[in-house]
Each structure stands twice: as structure tokens, then as C-alpha cells.
């Protein structure tokens, strides 16, 4: 918006001029919302956005007839997801681990052989197929009829996009013949072809709408339309490549299962191949990479999967990825551009992160204007060990730099062109004070990151923690996204998570009068906040934003301690970082000393603990975690393996026990329920006997867990 336009007072406009203004501002705000939700960089500043919204509000107040039913002033943010129902996946939707070169692929094969105790030359076949760059969808059929379709969401719960999925030609509404299992969930990728994408964008531009950045965003934006008649006009396609719940096995191998899906009417990618060894996988990768530009749709790698489904079942999964599959990614795309400026951002845990502000450049079809610079060593041309990277070349403001991005990852800088370095350039001086609060920023020995010591008093850390707190895997409060919580922080209304729950009492009346808010939206927000006073334990732990305690760790802690009180008791008793409680934390497989120390420290820093306690006082119920697979005879039990196992490797035994809901510990204590002792078991079996703990041999264990 130009200054001149802004200054024409609303009162001086006639209705026709006001109508034109309303149209212009509506389009501007919509575009800004789109940019915010679809791209990595918003196009206008927050201040410009707010000014536009304020002016539109005013216009609507002065010319009420011009207020559109769908005016952006009536919306909180623009997240369309609020309009979709949610579907809990019967079987979790996983993502894939990545391989970046041939050695990673060989390591993947070696890892599987080692897990299954297969000799290096034992036959082990894989499928190889393109990795489609779209968004994953699961479609449930019961008795051959499409019941619902959902996006991946967080892997456990996705968005109900059934009506939209029905408009996709490649997705059958009924499964013809091929006697489909009674329950069948078909999974695959929704995508848009290049030609269709170009046509859609041309139409968007002709209408004055913002074009999509790439086919994947176009596919995602189209599938997640609240109005399915809009989706129906979008040329979406679907490749099937996997399945979720099935009431009867589809086949004995991945390849045969895909063939069955094809018989049922699904589209299977015709570059899917069966390979007897890694060399074949790599040869097929090379072929797909050669043909990539001519396929007519975006792919970003090749997916390899163990062909034998019985082996897939034995391999199972890690927390979010299967052990039996990997995505071999194509090398990142790169471009050269000028680094205008280095900004320092302060994160949730106080880390100072340098960000390169770039002259916008297109990398792999997406306009990039920011890149991460990791930390001060990286800028100086050193890695974590002090060894030179980029042959020791440092990165300076004003430099020409080579930017790359691989998949979804934030753009990074690979190289610097010294021949184009300005004569007056100076090495970048990394700040020793927090740019947000002025507190000292220090580096702990062995840590590559400089951190602000301001803690909860640092406004940047406050905001980042609040953003984290309301994020999807954390409290996920409907209508309270990053944007809203930032705005409340700016107003001084919310500084810590507990403040969110007291917002109504303190500023309820004012909120309704705030720009972009009204009586109804304010009431809705408070209802959504109240609904979250009951929160599952794992979400609460994750939401605290403790360093090193991510989603997987939060889940582990929740499952192990079940209740908040139990967790707190252990953390409190573990304060000296020694003793029984400390050992109990470390005995959890997946919790190491760094994480345990971070947890214990966070709970014992005065300010932090006060903030946690204040939050918990606002909650009405912390929902205890349930151990997975409750029906299993070992769910919730703590087991210890010792000695040699003969029918499976230790890794497989452990993974299987965990999948059945057991905790696997490394040492025997009073808390141990079962010790599985193979030949050669020594002191652990002896200790178990002394403590009167049940000791099983491998066969008895397998009989107990049903294999
Ligand atoms: S298999 C349990 N196969 O890539 C394995 N995924 O980075 C489920 N994707 O979430 C995925 N093409 O959305 C598989 N041929 C393919 C794929 C594919 C694309 C996507 C999928 C997944 C993501 C992981």
C-alpha cells in the first residue's frame, strides 16, 4: 500500500471509491494470508498487514453495505484447517528416513541384514519406485466402498478431506471385483502434473489470484479447499504405493500388493521395479534421475522398500519411520545470489541463529530469500571440530553465495564466490549480547551454539516458547496460532503459557474489540482454550519446550511414567543427577544423559519451575498416557534381555517388545518384571534370581508374546 493511498481518509470516500478500496484491501490481505501459509517468506511486513486490516475494518464500519460475508476481517488468521473434521488413522501414517548417496543406501541394506541376522550374501529383494513430491492421503474402503479419506496430519490424526478426495479421477469410489478385503486403507500421494500446474497458474494469474509456488503447494492447496466444488476444478492425480489397515493381507510381497491395488483400479507408478540387490537399486535410481525432467510430474527421489512383507513386519518401525524403507533423495538444487544481510534470530531455548537475507532467487522452482547459516563457526568457515569447511572461506554480508535446498529443508548456503567479494567487506562479527534483550550470549564448552542467558525474561525466548506451546503437536488450541499468540505477546497480554489460560479474565472484554476480532470469535477462542485445560500428558511435556525433549522423548516419558505426578516425583528426586531416580530416567531406552540432565535442570531453575507450576494450576486434567497395545501380555512391563538370543537379534527383540508396549531396560532392578536370559547370561540373570524376578528363556518369551 502506498503512503498516498493510505492517507485518503475513509470519510472522504464515496461509496464507489470505498467499494474499490474494499476490493483492493481484501485481495491484499488474502494474498498476504496465502503467502504466510503457503510460502516460507511473507510478502508484506506485519505492520503493513495490520494497517491493511485496520483500514478494511474502518471501511466496513463506515460502509456496512460493503462488508462481504467472507471478509478477511471476520477471520482469525487464515488457517483453513479449522474447517476440516479430524480422522484418527487406524494405523499411523509414517514418513521415511532419507539416504543421500550410495553409501547411505548400502548402510540401509547392511542395517536390515544386521537387524534380521541375515548373511551379507543372503537374498534380500527390494522394490524401487519414484518418490512423488505431493502430499500423502489415506483412503478407507469398507466392503469395497469409499468411506473416508484423510491427509497425514501429524501421523496419528489427519484432516477429513473425503469430499475433496472423491473429486479426484484416479481415486475409485467403489472397488471393482478383485475381491478387496472388507477393510482396506489405500495410501498414496496426491499430486499435480506439470502441464496442469502451468494451466492452473495461468488461470490464477488471469483472475488476479496469487499463483502457486510449485505443483506440490498447488496440490496441497487444492486438496485442502473447504469447498469441494473448487477441488473438483483442480486437476489432481493420485498414485497408490502403500496401505494402512487391511482386514486380510493383500499379498506376500510389496510388489504383489501393488499389483493387487492396480487390479482394484488404483494407479501404480510404472517406474516401480523389483530389485535383487543394492546395485540394481542404484541403477534404477540413475535411470529415474535421467528421466526425471520428462516424467511430467515432480519427484524428489526414489523409495526403496523390502519386498517381503513378512520381513517388513519383523523390521517394524522406529518412532516415525519404518525400518524397511528409505527415500534416496536427489541431490539438492542450487543457485547463486547475493547475501544482503545477516540477521540473528533468538530461538525458544535462547540459541542465537544467524539467518542470511538473500536477494530473492529461484531454487528448484521456489523463490528463496532466507537461508540458515547454522552458527558462528559455520559463518567463519569451520565445522564443529574446528576443521575448515568451504576450504576455510568465511561468509560475509555482501558476498555472492551458492544456495541449495533439498526437499522441505530450509535453504542453506554451500559456497562463497571470493572473486565477487566487495573490496570493503569485513568478516561478520557474531554478537556477544542477545540482540533482543541485551543479556550476555555465551557458548558452553563443546557447544557450537551461542545462547542468550536472559531466559524467560528475554522477550524473544518468550515468544518462541509461546509459539512452540500453541503448535500442533503441543497444545494445538483452535484459533490460537503463532500469529495470534505473537499479537497477544506484543500487547503485553501473554508472556508465559499460563497467561493464555487467564487471558479471558484479564482481557476478555478488550479482545472482542480488537482488530480482526469480535464477540463471537473471542468467545470461540476462550472456549477452545478451556477445552485444552484437559491435555494428554505427552502433549504437556512436549509443550514445555525443554531443550532436547522433542516429541518422541515426550511420548517416551509419558508412556513410562503414565501420570504427571509420577513424572514430577522422579524428576524432583533426580535433581542431584545421581541415585535411584536418576538411574530410572536413564534406564528408559531412548533417554540419554544429555536429555535427562536438560529435563532435570529445567524443572529446577526457579523461574522455569514457577512457570510450569503456574501452567499446571490452570489445567483441570492431565490425561495419563496409555501404554500401547494394551491387550498384549507384556504391555507396561519392564523387561531386560541378557545373554545370546538365537531366533532374533537383540535389536529385533527390543523393537518387538517395545511394539507390544513393554519397556526395555538395560539393567536389572526391583522395577524389572521379566528377564529374558539366553545362553551365556551372567550377572543379570543371577541378580534377577536374587530379586525373585521371573526369568524366561527365548522360547518361553516368544511363546508369551505370540510368535
Ligand atoms: S512409502 C511407510 N512411497 O514421502 C512408508 N512414500 O518422505 C510410507 N512419498 O510421507 C511411505 N512417494 O508422503 C512412500 N513411493 C512412495 C512415495 C512416498 C512419495 C511420500 C509420502 C511420505 C513421504 C516421506
Amino acid at each position: 500500500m502506498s503512503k498516498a493511498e493510505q492517507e485518503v481518509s475513509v470519510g472522504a470516500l464515496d461509496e464507489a471509491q470505498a467499494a474499490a478500496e474494499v476490493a483492493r484491501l481484501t485481495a491484499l490481505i488474502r494474498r498476504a494470508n496465502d503467502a504466510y501459509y503457503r510460502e516460507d517468506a511473507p510478502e508484506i511486513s506485519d505492520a503493513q498487514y495490520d494497517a491493511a486490516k485496520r483500514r478494511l475494518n474502518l471501511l466496513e464500519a463506515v460502509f456496512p453495505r460493503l462488508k462481504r460475508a467472507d471478509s478477511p476481517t471476520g477471520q482469525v488468521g487464515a488457517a483453513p484447517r479449522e474447517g476440516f473434521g479430524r480422522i484418527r488413522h487406524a494405523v499411523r501414517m509414517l514418513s521415511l528416513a532419507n539416504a543421500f548417496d550410495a553409501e547411505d543406501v548400502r548402510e540401509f541394506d547392511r542395517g536390515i541384514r544386521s537387524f534380521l541376522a541375515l548373511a551379507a550374501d543372503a537374498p534380500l529383494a527390494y522394490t524401487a519406485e519414484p518418490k512423488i513430491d505431493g502430499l500423502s492421503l489415506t483412503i478407507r474402503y469398507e466392503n469395497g466402498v469409499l468411506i473416508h479419506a484423510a491427509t497425514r496430519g501429524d501421523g496419528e490424526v489427519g484432516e477429513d478431506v473425503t469430499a475433496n478426495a472423491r473429486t479426484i479421477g484416479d481415486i475409485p469410489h467403489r472397488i471393482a471385483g478383485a475381491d478387496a478385503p472388507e477393510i482396506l486403507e489405500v495410501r498414496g500421494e496426491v499430486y499435480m502434473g506439470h502441464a496442469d500446474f502451468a494451466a492452473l497458474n495461468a488461470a490464477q494469474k488471469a483472475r488476479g489470484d496469487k499463483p502457486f509456488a510449485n505443483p506440490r503447494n498447488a496440490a496441497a492447496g487444492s486438496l485442502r479447499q473447504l469447498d469441494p466444488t473448487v477441488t473438483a476444478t483442480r486437476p489432481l492425480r493420485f498414485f497408490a504405493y502403500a496401505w494402512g489397515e487391511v482386514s486380510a493381507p493383500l499379498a506376500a510381497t510389496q510388489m504383489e500388493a501393488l499389483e493387487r491395488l492396480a487390479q482394484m483400479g488404483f494407479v501404480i507408478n510404472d517406474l516401480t521395479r523389483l530389485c535383487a540387490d543394492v546395485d540394481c537399486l542404484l541403477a534404477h535410481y540413475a535411470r529415474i534421475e535421467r528421466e526425471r525432467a520428462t516424467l511430467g510430474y515432480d519427484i524428489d527421489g526414489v523409495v526403496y522398500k523390502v519386498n517381503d512383507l513378512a520381513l517388513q513386519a519383523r523390521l517394524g518401525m522406529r518412532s516415525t519411520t519404518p525400518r524397511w524403507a528409505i527415500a534416496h533423495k536427489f541431490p539438492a538444487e542450487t543457485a547463486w545470489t547475493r547475501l544482503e544481510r545477516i540477521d540473528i534470530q533468538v530461538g525458544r531455548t535462547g540459541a542465537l541463529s544467524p539467518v542470511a537475507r538473500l536477494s530473492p532467487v529461484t531454487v528448484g522452482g521456489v523463490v528463496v530469500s532466507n537461508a540458515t547459516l547454522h552458527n558462528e563457526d559455520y559463518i567463519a568457515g569451520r565445522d564443529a571440530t574446528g576443521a575448515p569447511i568451504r576450504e576455510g572461506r568465511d561468509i560475509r554480508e555482501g558476498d555472492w553465495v551458492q544456495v541449495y535446498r533439498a526437499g522441505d529443508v530450509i535453504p542453506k548456503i554451500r559456497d562463497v564466490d571470493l572473486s565477487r567479494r566487495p573490496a570493503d567487506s569485513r568478516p561478520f562479527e557474531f554478537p556477544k549480547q542477545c540482540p533482543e534483550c541485551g543479556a550476555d550470549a555465551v557458548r558452553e564448552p563443546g557447544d557450537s551454539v551461542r545462547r542468550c542467558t536472559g531466559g524467560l525474561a528475554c522477550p524473544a525466548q518468550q515468544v518462541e516458547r509461546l509459539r512452540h506451546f500453541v503448535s500442533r503437536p503441543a497444545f494445538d488450541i483452535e484459533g490460537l496460532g503463532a500469529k495470534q499468540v505473537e499479537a497477544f505477546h506484543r500487547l503485553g497480554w501473554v508472556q508465559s503459557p499460563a497467561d493464555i489460560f487467564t487471558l479471558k479474565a484479564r482481557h476478555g472484554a478488550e479482545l472482542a474489540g480488537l482488530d480482526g476480532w469480535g464477540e463471537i470469535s473471542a468467545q470461540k477462542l476462550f472456549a477452545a482454550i478451556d477445552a485444552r485445560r484437559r491435555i494428554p500428558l505427552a502433549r504437556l511435556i512436549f509443550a514445555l519446550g525443554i531443550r532436547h525433549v522433542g516429541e518422541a522423548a515426550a511420548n517416551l516419558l509419558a508412556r513410562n511414567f503414565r501420570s504427571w505426578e509420577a513424572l514430577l516425583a522422579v524428576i524432583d528426586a533426580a535433581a542431584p543427577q545421581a541415585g535411584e531416580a536418576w538411574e530410572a530416567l536413564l534406564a528408559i531406552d531412548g533417554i540419554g544423559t544429555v536429555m535427562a540432565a536438560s529435563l532435570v535442570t529445567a524443572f529446577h531453575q526457579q523461574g522455569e519451575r514457577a512457570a510450569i507450576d503456574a501452567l499446571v494450576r490452570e489445567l483441570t486434567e492431565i490425561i495419563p498416557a496409555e501404554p500401547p497395545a494394551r491387550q498384549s501380555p507384556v504391555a507396561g512391563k519392564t523387561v531386560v534381555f541378557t545373554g545370546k538370543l538365537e531366533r532374533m537379534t537383540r535389536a529385533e527383540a527390543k523393537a518387538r517388545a517395545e511394539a507390544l508396549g513393554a519397556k526395555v531396560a538395560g539393567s536389572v532392578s526391583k522395577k524389572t518384571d521379566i528377564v529374558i536370559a539366553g545362553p551365556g547370561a551372567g550377572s543379570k540373570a543371577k541378580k534377577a534370581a536374587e530379586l525373585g524376578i521371573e526369568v524366561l528363556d527365548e522360547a518361553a518369551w516368544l511363546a508369551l508374546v505370540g510368535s
Side-chain angles (χ1 to χ4, degrees):
M1 188 183 323
S2 79
K3 195 102 179 122
E5 279 165 334
Q6 248 175 357
E7 279 164 3
V8 179
S9 132
V10 168
L13 299 175
D14 64 33
E15 185 144 2
Q17 287 168 322
E21 226 353 355
V22 166
R24 186 182 67 80
L25 290 168
T26 303
L28 181 108
I29 294 167
R30 289 230 172 95
R31 261 204 308 279
N33 283 342
D34 277 357
Y36 185 84
Y37 285 97
R38 286 203 195 117
E39 270 110 29
D40 65 345
E43 295 177 332
I44 59 173
S45 70
D46 283 359
Q48 287 170 313
Y49 179 86
D50 292 343
K53 262 199 151 176
R54 262 201 308 278
R55 187 166 168 84
L56 184 54
N57 253 323
L58 191 59
L59 280 159
E60 289 173 346
V62 177
F63 300 94
R65 279 199 303 162
L66 295 179
K67 182 168 171 130
R68 307 173 179 207
D70 62 347
S71 165
T73 56
Q75 294 164 5
V76 182
R81 68 187 173 91
E82 281 155 26
F84 290 104
R86 290 172 172 217
I87 291 181
R88 179 166 287 280
H89 304 308
V91 173
R92 268 202 303 153
M93 287 184 82
L94 301 174
S95 60
L96 293 169
N98 291 325
F100 294 100
D101 56 27
E103 182 45 33
D104 290 349
V105 180
R106 295 192 192 283
E107 182 51 41
F108 164 67
D109 176 67
R110 278 197 295 271
I112 288 175
R113 288 173 186 278
S114 138
F115 189 94
L116 297 170
L118 291 178
D121 55 356
L124 179 57
Y126 296 95
T127 58
E129 64 196 290
K131 182 171 188 303
I132 315 300
D133 198 4
L135 70 157
S136 45
L137 182 74
T138 183
I139 315 160
R140 187 175 176 95
Y141 293 86
E142 290 179 10
N143 300 308
V145 179
L146 191 161
I147 299 293
H148 67 226
T151 60
R152 190 172 104 99
D154 62 4
E156 311 250 356
V157 178
E159 288 165 339
D160 182 347
V161 290
T162 311
N164 296 350
R166 282 183 196 280
T167 69
I168 300 176
D170 289 340
I171 296 179
H173 292 192
R174 271 176 183 282
I175 296 176
D179 58 357
E182 227 170 279
I183 295 174
L184 168 65
E185 279 179 20
V186 177
R187 293 180 174 178
E189 204 84 352
V190 173
Y191 67 99
M192 196 179 286
H194 290 158
D196 289 332
F197 168 69
L200 172 65
N201 260 358
Q204 289 279 112
K205 279 186 206 151
R207 268 199 309 272
D209 287 339
K210 190 174 165 55
F212 292 97
N214 54 44
R216 180 161 58 92
N217 287 0
S222 302
L223 185 67
R224 298 170 79 250
Q225 283 287 332
L226 284 177
D227 180 356
T229 60
V230 177
T231 310
T233 66
R234 302 281 173 83
L236 293 174
R237 320 259 350 226
F238 179 77
F239 277 126
Y241 51 65
W243 53 93
E245 189 182 1
V246 278
S247 53
L250 288 176
T253 66
Q254 178 77 27
M255 204 64 186
E256 288 158 10
L258 292 182
E259 280 157 13
R260 265 199 83 191
L261 292 178
Q263 285 160 13
M264 293 178 195
F266 294 93
V267 186
I268 306 302
N269 192 287
D270 57 8
L271 281 167
T272 309
R273 290 288 176 277
L274 185 60
C275 274
D277 56 28
V278 172
D279 288 335
C280 164
L281 293 178
L282 296 175
H284 195 50
Y285 172 90
R287 170 179 168 196
I288 293 177
E289 194 178 22
R290 272 198 308 278
E291 293 183 10
R292 183 179 184 187
T294 61
L295 295 179
Y297 49 87
D298 276 356
I299 62 173
D300 57 348
V302 179
V303 182
Y304 308 139
K305 299 174 186 166
V306 169
N307 189 41
D308 183 332
L309 298 184
L311 293 184
Q312 283 191 7
R314 280 181 60 192
L315 286 158
M317 56 203 190
R318 307 178 200 90
S319 64
T320 59
T321 58
R323 281 193 194 84
W324 44 266
I326 200 159
H328 187 178
K329 304 295 280 282
F330 292 131
E333 306 197 44
T334 69
W336 286 90
T337 188
R338 212 178 93 97
L339 191 168
E340 305 289 349
R341 193 175 77 244
I342 297 177
D343 281 347
I344 304 287
Q345 289 180 343
V346 184
R348 174 165 59 84
T349 59
L352 267 50
S353 308
V355 181
R357 306 295 181 197
L358 308 166
S359 280
V361 61
T362 306
V363 191
V366 172
V367 179
V368 166
S369 43
N370 302 308
T372 173
L373 289 167
H374 305 286
N375 54 51
E376 58 189 298
D377 286 344
Y378 188 84
I379 296 177
R382 291 186 300 264
D383 71 7
T385 67
I389 49 173
R390 299 183 301 270
E391 291 159 17
R393 288 189 285 278
D394 67 334
I395 296 174
R396 302 182 183 182
E397 293 180 327
D399 270 344
W400 280 82
V401 292
Q402 189 186 30
V403 185
Y404 69 100
R405 52 185 284 280
D408 277 343
V409 202
I410 344 164
K412 295 182 179 162
I413 287 179
R414 172 171 293 166
D415 211 351
V416 186
D417 186 348
L418 290 188
S419 72
R420 301 175 80 174
R421 174 168 280 177
D424 60 351
S425 88
R426 294 267 162 281
F428 180 71
E429 255 194 65
F430 205 90
K432 307 285 183 291
Q433 265 87 36
C434 171
E436 300 286 341
C437 73
D440 284 343
V442 298
R443 270 180 82 165
E444 301 290 337
D447 194 353
S448 54
V449 172
R450 192 171 282 281
R451 283 173 208 282
C452 160
T453 53
L456 288 174
C458 171
Q461 290 189 51
Q462 287 174 0
V463 171
E464 290 307 317
R465 281 181 191 217
L466 288 168
R467 285 169 61 120
H468 173 82
F469 185 83
V470 299
S471 69
R472 254 182 140 180
F475 266 62
D476 192 22
I477 297 169
E478 210 164 314
L480 189 64
K483 242 191 143 98
Q484 290 78 26
V485 88
E486 275 171 36
F488 295 157
H489 184 265
R490 256 199 312 274
L491 287 164
W493 291 1
V494 168
Q495 258 143 18
S496 78
D499 296 344
I500 293 172
F501 292 93
T502 58
L503 183 64
K504 184 178 177 185
R506 294 179 295 116
H507 297 286
E510 289 158 88
L511 176 66
L514 212 63
D515 243 6
W517 293 86
E519 233 8 280
I520 294 177
S521 56
Q523 268 169 25
K524 265 191 170 166
L525 175 70
F526 295 130
I529 291 175
D530 279 341
R532 280 309 206 181
R533 290 184 196 267
R534 284 186 76 238
I535 193 84
L537 178 58
R539 278 184 182 268
L540 171 62
I541 301 172
F542 175 68
L544 297 178
I546 295 165
R547 218 170 129 202
H548 303 299
V549 182
E551 238 183 306
N555 277 320
L556 270 177
L557 290 165
R559 261 191 271 138
N560 272 274
F561 296 108
R562 306 284 313 280
S563 76
W564 175 252
E565 291 71 27
L567 174 69
L568 213 57
V570 169
I571 292 179
D572 281 342
Q577 302 199 10
E580 209 175 313
W582 176 249
E583 293 304 326
L585 269 180
L586 295 183
I588 301 171
D589 192 58
I591 307 273
T593 40
V594 173
M595 198 192 289
S598 171
L599 189 67
V600 167
T601 317
F603 273 76
H604 290 92
Q605 267 164 10
Q606 242 177 31
E608 300 248 4
R609 181 58 174 265
I612 295 172
D613 290 343
L615 167 66
V616 170
R617 276 199 298 277
E618 293 300 327
L619 305 176
T620 51
E621 188 187 354
I622 299 170
I623 303 165
E626 306 222 341
R630 292 195 87 179
Q631 65 281 28
S632 114
V634 296
K637 303 227 162 133
T638 300
V639 305
V640 173
F641 290 96
T642 177
K644 189 168 158 37
L645 298 177
E646 283 166 338
R647 305 236 318 252
M648 56 175 82
T649 62
R650 186 65 75 82
E652 183 176 356
K654 179 164 164 285
R656 195 160 155 60
E658 283 172 351
L660 292 167
K663 291 183 253 180
V664 180
S667 59
V668 176
S669 75
K670 281 183 289 196
K671 300 222 172 84
T672 311
D673 296 299
I674 307 173
V675 171
I676 298 97
S683 61
K684 287 184 194 171
K686 211 170 120 216
K687 184 157 179 204
E690 280 163 21
L691 292 170
I693 293 166
E694 185 178 9
V695 180
L696 301 178
D697 65 11
E698 187 180 2
W701 162 256
L702 290 175
L704 177 67
V705 297
S707 57

